[in-house]
């Protein structure tokens, strides 16, 4: 039985669209996901995206010893097959995926050991990460405009020159699974979860579906790779970038903007172990010490969401507090 396709709007954030800010806010308030046209305003040209996908493919298809040289530490490095469990309450086994997490760059200098081919293409990787962060800041400024708060309310809390944050560029590989490890009916590639940060940018490849979002009614709907339905066979033309709201933007807006639960499944029409799938996600996080309190917006004040910041033991949590708690649950460790 095929899933119904989620109806996610596609928005042009160019200056020529005077309604971009309100369109973004409405989409985020309705379902937490939106496609952004990948044009000059987005600043992610197809050649740049393809270059990163090529590096990602080369890494994941490379020798295991190269991956093991950079194991996961402080949410950076290589995540092995089934090491993560994004939905620990419901999953029988860990996620059927591998990942490599790239943290922030100091200019073009990485703050972690890098394996090949990233170590020999540092400038390329750093430039891609910086471009993703710039796009996130542009989107956050549009959200600020729609919420009628100072234009830098969000972006000032994401200024990496002021201190560390949990922002991560995550390269993902969902391999086809051999029969000896083939998934059971209830196994999936990435467990149901909401994202931990502020915004997530997702870059996908044509012909590699699998992402689903959970509707308010509790049903799952598939997310198209290309909402225009052009079925591109390569990245010679830009695919729209999928943007979703993370937990922190939901907290900051008292639940007005939705941090929607999503997952990655094995395509139903593929062979039992699925087919290879690659994607890249940029998880934009605020500065570690940013507090999770509502923004000073009339619309947020009037919204009866009931989140109203996050407190624990009488203390308002920071972005880092929240991230550590979520990571502890994912990896089965103590925060």
């Amino acid at each position: 039985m095929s899933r119904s396709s989620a109806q996610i709007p596609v928005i042009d954030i160019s200056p020529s669209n005077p309604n971009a800010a309100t369109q973004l806010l409405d989409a985020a308030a309705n379902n937490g996901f939106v496609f952004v046209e990948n044009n000059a305003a987005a600043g992610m040209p197809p050649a740049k995206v393809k270059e990163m996908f090529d590096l990602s493919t080369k890494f994941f298809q490379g020798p295991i010893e190269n991956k093991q040289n950079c194991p996961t530490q402080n949410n950076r490095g290589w995540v092995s097959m089934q090491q993560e469990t994004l939905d620990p309450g419901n999953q029988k086994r860990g996620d059927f995926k591998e990942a490599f997490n790239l943290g922030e760059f100091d200019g073009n200098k990485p703050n972690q050991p890098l394996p090949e081919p990233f170590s020999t293409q540092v400038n390329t990787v750093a430039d891609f990460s910086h471009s993703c962060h710039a796009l996130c800041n542009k989107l956050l400024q549009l959200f600020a405009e729609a919420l009628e708060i100072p234009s830098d309310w969000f972006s000032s809390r994401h200024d990496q020159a002021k201190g560390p944050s949990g922002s991560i560029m995550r390269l993902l590989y969902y391999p086809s699974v051999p029969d000896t490890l083939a998934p059971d009916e209830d196994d999936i590639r990435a467990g149901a979860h909401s994202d931990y940060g502020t915004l997530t940018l997702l870059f996908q490849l044509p012909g590699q579906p699998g992402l689903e979002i959970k509707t308010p009614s509790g049903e799952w709907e598939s997310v198209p790779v290309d909402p225009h339905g052009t079925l591109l066979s390569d990245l010679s033309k830009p695919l729209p970038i999928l943007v979703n709201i993370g937990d922190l933007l939901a907290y900051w807006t008292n639940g007005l903007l939705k941090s929607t639960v999503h997952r990655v499944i094995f395509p139903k029409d593929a062979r039992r172990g699925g087919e290879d799938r690659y994607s890249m996600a940029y998880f934009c996080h605020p500065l570690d010490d940013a507090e999770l309190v509502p923004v000073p917006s009339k619309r947020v004040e009037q919204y009866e969401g009931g989140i109203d910041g996050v407190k624990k033991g009488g203390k308002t949590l920071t972005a880092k507090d929240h991230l550590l708690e979520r990571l502890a649950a994912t990896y089965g460790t103590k925060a």
Side-chain angles (χ1 to χ4, degrees), residues 211-222:
L211 179 64
E212 294 187 334
I213 62 174
K214 196 170 189 178
T215 67
S217 65
E219 300 296 319
W220 289 101
E221 293 183 341
S222 63

Side-chain angles (χ1 to χ4, degrees), residues 49-59 117:
V49 177
K50 182 180 184 302
E51 192 170 23
M52 277 301 302
F53 268 119
D54 288 345
L55 289 175
S56 176
T57 301
K58 187 175 181 180
F59 168 74

Side-chain angles (χ1 to χ4, degrees), residues 25 142-150 153-154 157 249 251-257 293-304 308:
L25 188 70
L142 288 170
F143 279 121
E145 177 185 332
L147 290 169
E148 299 181 336
I149 59 177
W153 198 95
F154 292 119
R157 288 163 171 78
L249 201 51
Y251 292 143
W252 270 328
T253 59
N254 197 24
L256 172 64
L257 304 187
V293 295
V295 299
S297 164
K298 291 289 185 183
R299 183 164 178 179
V300 170
E301 290 175 5
Q302 295 168 359
Y303 181 74
E304 297 179 357
D308 193 24

Side-chain angles (χ1 to χ4, degrees), residues 81-82 84 86 91 93-98 172-177 183 186-192 208-210 263-267 270-278:
M81 183 81 155
Q82 296 185 287
E84 276 190 346
L86 286 173
Q91 287 180 246
R93 294 190 279 186
D95 295 349
F96 282 82
K97 71 172 188 292
E98 292 182 38
L172 289 152
Y173 171 46
Y174 303 89
S176 57
V177 182
D186 294 332
D187 278 328
I188 52 180
R189 285 176 148 173
Q208 297 186 6
R263 67 183 185 181
V264 179
I265 64 166
F266 288 94
R271 59 189 174 87
R272 186 164 178 251
E275 296 178 349
D276 284 0
R277 179 181 188 270
Y278 292 87

Side-chain angles (χ1 to χ4, degrees), residues 1-334:
M1 180 178 178
S2 61
R3 304 278 187 192
S4 59
S5 184
Q7 300 302 304
I8 299 175
V10 184
I11 297 174
D12 183 352
I13 61 170
S14 301
S16 59
N17 179 14
N19 300 315
T22 54
Q23 289 172 352
L24 276 174
L25 188 70
D26 289 345
N30 288 331
N31 59 24
F33 276 76
V34 61
F35 280 103
V36 171
E37 292 284 15
N38 189 7
N39 50 28
M44 305 297 299
K48 178 181 288 190
V49 177
K50 182 180 184 302
E51 192 170 23
M52 277 301 302
F53 268 119
D54 288 345
L55 289 175
S56 176
T57 301
K58 187 175 181 180
F59 168 74
F60 287 117
Q61 294 301 324
I64 185 71
E65 294 80 10
N66 184 50
K67 301 174 184 179
Q68 291 172 336
N69 285 335
C70 298
T72 310
Q73 292 184 337
N74 299 320
N75 200 32
R76 299 172 181 177
W78 178 56
V79 178
S80 62
M81 183 81 155
Q82 296 185 287
Q83 181 179 342
E84 276 190 346
T85 306
L86 286 173
D87 188 10
N90 295 304
Q91 287 180 246
K92 298 177 182 177
R93 294 190 279 186
D95 295 349
F96 282 82
K97 71 172 188 292
E98 292 182 38
F100 192 83
N101 292 353
L102 291 150
E104 298 170 349
F105 286 78
D106 183 5
N108 283 355
K109 180 182 178 182
N111 290 312
Q112 68 190 88
L114 295 182
E116 294 184 354
F118 311 125
S119 59
T120 57
Q121 298 290 330
V122 174
N123 290 348
T124 297
V125 179
D127 177 66
F128 191 84
S129 179
H130 293 321
S131 295
C132 287
H133 194 74
L135 174 55
C136 287
N137 270 329
K138 186 174 295 186
L139 295 171
L140 289 171
Q141 288 167 1
L142 288 170
F143 279 121
E145 177 185 332
L147 290 169
E148 299 181 336
I149 59 177
S151 62
D152 66 346
W153 198 95
F154 292 119
S155 58
S156 65
R157 288 163 171 78
H158 292 76
D159 184 351
Q160 295 176 342
K162 294 181 178 179
S165 80
S167 291
I168 289 290
M169 166 58 66
R170 166 165 266 207
L171 310 177
L172 289 152
Y173 171 46
Y174 303 89
S176 57
V177 182
D179 289 341
T180 55
L181 194 63
D184 294 331
E185 183 177 350
D186 294 332
D187 278 328
I188 52 180
R189 285 176 148 173
H193 66 285
S194 59
D195 286 349
Y196 312 160
T198 306
L199 290 175
T200 301
L201 307 179
L202 182 66
F203 301 85
Q204 303 181 85
L205 285 172
Q208 297 186 6
L211 179 64
E212 294 187 334
I213 62 174
K214 196 170 189 178
T215 67
S217 65
E219 300 296 319
W220 289 101
E221 293 183 341
S222 63
V223 177
V225 175
D226 179 9
H228 296 311
T230 52
L231 299 177
L232 298 172
S233 60
D234 56 43
L235 287 177
S236 61
K237 294 182 180 179
L239 284 172
I241 301 166
L242 186 62
V243 180
N244 69 277
I245 303 304
D247 294 344
L248 302 192
L249 201 51
Y251 292 143
W252 270 328
T253 59
N254 197 24
L256 172 64
L257 304 187
K258 306 297 186 292
S259 181
T260 300
V261 172
H262 51 284
R263 67 183 185 181
V264 179
I265 64 166
F266 288 94
K268 299 301 182 185
D269 57 352
R271 59 189 174 87
R272 186 164 178 251
E275 296 178 349
D276 284 0
R277 179 181 188 270
Y278 292 87
S279 65
M280 300 187 297
Y282 182 79
F283 297 102
C284 182
H285 285 251
L287 301 175
D288 286 347
D289 59 3
E291 293 187 337
L292 306 185
V293 295
V295 299
S297 164
K298 291 289 185 183
R299 183 164 178 179
V300 170
E301 290 175 5
Q302 295 168 359
Y303 181 74
E304 297 179 357
I307 296 180
D308 193 24
V310 181
K311 293 183 180 293
K312 188 172 184 179
K315 173 183 176 292
T316 299
L317 294 186
T318 64
K320 185 176 182 179
D321 293 333
H322 174 71
L323 176 60
L324 291 178
E325 284 196 358
R326 291 297 304 269
L327 290 175
T330 297
Y331 291 104
T333 60
K334 293 183 179 180

